[in-house]
Amino acid sequence: MIDDRYVEISNLVKAYPNPFGEAVKVVDGFNLTIKKGEVIGVIGHSGCGKSTVLTMVAGLNEISDGGIVVAGKEIDGPGPDRAVVFQAPCLLPWMTAYQNVMMGVKQVYPHASKQQRRVIVEYSLSVVGLADAMHKYPRELSGGMQQRVGIARAIALKPKVLLLDEPFGRLDSLTRMELQDVILGILDREKITTMIITHDPDEAIFMCDRICMMTNGPRAKVGQVMTVDFERPRSREEIMETDQFYAYRQRLLQFLDDCEAEKHGGGPIRFDTEEAPTESGVAPAAS
Ligand SMILES: Nc1ncnc2c1ncn2[C@@H]1O[C@H](COP(=O)(O)OP(=O)(O)O)[C@@H](O)[C@H]1O
Ligand SMILES: [Mg+2]
């Protein structure tokens, strides 16, 4: 069934040139299959290659080896079937929220009537809670509201796959929780196949059906995949009252800790800080 292998990432490799011009495999042998409608989280230490994988799925970053198939079709560059939301929404400052969303809609639905397009844009903006702020300019919107426009712009395209790269990374924790709820509501209702990168274990558990844990680079790949067995629609409060939530969180933290230990080669921990050694000649333990 194609729906069971809606997104198929096979033996994906990405090599970037290092400062000496040598190709270094940042990602090497990344394999992941995503079911239709599934929400997959990708978690891993900073710099391991999460964005590299996501931008390759988006078609924005050339694949060095291996392949990615979306809905039965090998991807070759970006397309309207995959919408991306990055940390910062990059809105055009001279356009209102409505016009920013409309721009993409016009490109993706060139044959739709004016009225049809208006309905799509208004619906998308109201889903993210911006019904009353549609005609405001980016400068009149808070960071969280701007990111809501970015999400509206993505879902207005009715993508087959939604790609979110740390979409709440720049927001304060309250706004972050609000936006998690907004996205979760959309995913619960519309069942969009989604890949979301985060380095927050709680966020991953709250939002995802499965969480893919990436090993540290270079040559990063999928280390473990954990299924999150909470029913949808989900409520943060209910999930956080279960023991299972803490078991999932423990497993994620353990994996991340193990990666960190491996990076240090299991030997004595090196300090990247320039802290002076203590009197005993031993650097102080990191807090
Ligand atoms: N365009 C590039 N050229 C060279 N190296 C890159 C480039 N983009 C990312 N890298 C390197 O690849 C590694 C993975 O980066 P990235 O995918 O952004 O990690 P993550 O999103 O997990 O933090 C990092 O070591 C980064 O420095
Ligand atoms: Mg990244």
Side-chain angles (χ1 to χ4, degrees):
M1 263 285 273
I2 196 173
D3 284 2
D4 282 343
R5 319 183 71 79
Y6 199 61
V7 178
E8 228 178 332
I9 306 174
S10 315
N11 289 316
L12 194 65
V13 178
K14 180 68 191 187
Y16 288 120
N18 72 5
F20 308 105
E22 303 153 342
V24 175
K25 285 182 180 174
V26 168
V27 174
D28 190 8
F30 186 101
N31 287 293
L32 185 68
T33 303
I34 309 177
K35 290 193 199 95
K36 191 172 184 189
E38 194 174 31
V39 181
I40 284 276
V42 178
I43 200 163
H45 284 286
S46 180
C48 76
K50 302 180 296 294
S51 298
T52 296
V53 170
L54 181 131
T55 50
M56 283 194 282
V57 178
L60 300 170
N61 193 349
E62 209 182 311
I63 294 170
S64 303
D65 204 0
I68 301 170
V69 175
V70 172
K73 205 169 136 255
E74 182 95 33
I75 66 149
D76 178 23
D81 56 332
R82 286 152 287 140
V84 196
V85 178
F86 292 111
Q87 249 181 35
C90 296
L91 305 175
L92 295 175
W94 59 87
M95 288 188 178
T96 63
Y98 181 93
Q99 290 167 331
N100 266 283
V101 177
M102 180 58 91
M103 203 172 54
V105 169
K106 272 188 184 156
Q107 281 176 10
V108 176
Y109 307 102
H111 305 298
S113 69
K114 251 186 166 163
Q115 165 68 8
Q116 284 168 327
R117 288 184 198 154
R118 206 186 74 202
V119 169
I120 295 171
V121 175
E122 287 180 354
Y123 172 77
S124 309
L125 283 162
S126 60
V127 161
V128 298
L130 289 180
D132 295 331
M134 278 186 208
H135 301 296
K136 291 199 167 167
Y137 288 89
R139 65 172 179 276
E140 302 172 282
L141 302 172
S142 66
M145 286 165 96
Q146 290 183 23
Q147 193 59 321
R148 285 175 196 249
V149 180
I151 296 164
R153 186 173 55 186
I155 60 167
L157 308 182
K158 305 229 179 297
K160 288 182 175 149
V161 181
L162 183 61
L163 301 166
L164 308 167
D165 191 350
E166 306 202 32
F168 319 120
R170 290 205 183 161
L171 306 175
D172 61 87
S173 59
L174 209 64
T175 310
R176 195 182 172 102
M177 281 201 271
E178 276 173 23
L179 277 199
Q180 284 170 358
D181 287 330
V182 164
I183 296 226
L184 202 68
I186 295 168
L187 298 179
D188 283 346
R189 255 195 324 273
E190 321 229 345
K191 311 263 182 277
I192 310 174
T193 310
T194 300
M195 178 186 255
I196 177 166
I197 292 179
T198 171
H199 51 235
D200 177 352
D202 292 6
E203 182 170 287
I205 298 166
F206 182 48
M207 307 198 59
C208 300
D209 299 311
R210 282 191 300 146
I211 301 169
C212 157
M213 298 171 235
M214 256 180 103
T215 62
N216 277 354
R219 314 189 72 133
K221 51 166 71 67
V222 176
Q224 296 180 25
V225 179
M226 179 176 87
T227 300
V228 180
D229 222 351
F230 292 123
E231 272 179 21
R232 292 181 189 270
R234 291 179 180 173
S235 122
R236 183 193 307 274
E237 290 73 25
E238 282 172 26
I239 283 180
M240 290 187 71
E241 276 172 12
T242 64
D243 292 339
Q244 188 60 58
F245 173 82
Y246 296 93
Y248 286 144
R249 179 201 252 175
Q250 184 53 37
R251 185 164 159 204
L252 292 176
L253 292 175
Q254 186 67 53
F255 178 86
L256 293 172
D257 267 2
D258 290 349
C259 282
E260 199 57 19
E262 219 161 275
K263 191 165 94 186
H264 295 298
I269 293 173
R270 288 191 303 271
F271 292 90
D272 294 334
T273 54
E274 304 235 326
E275 273 190 283
T278 59
E279 278 170 23
S280 63
V282 181
S287 57

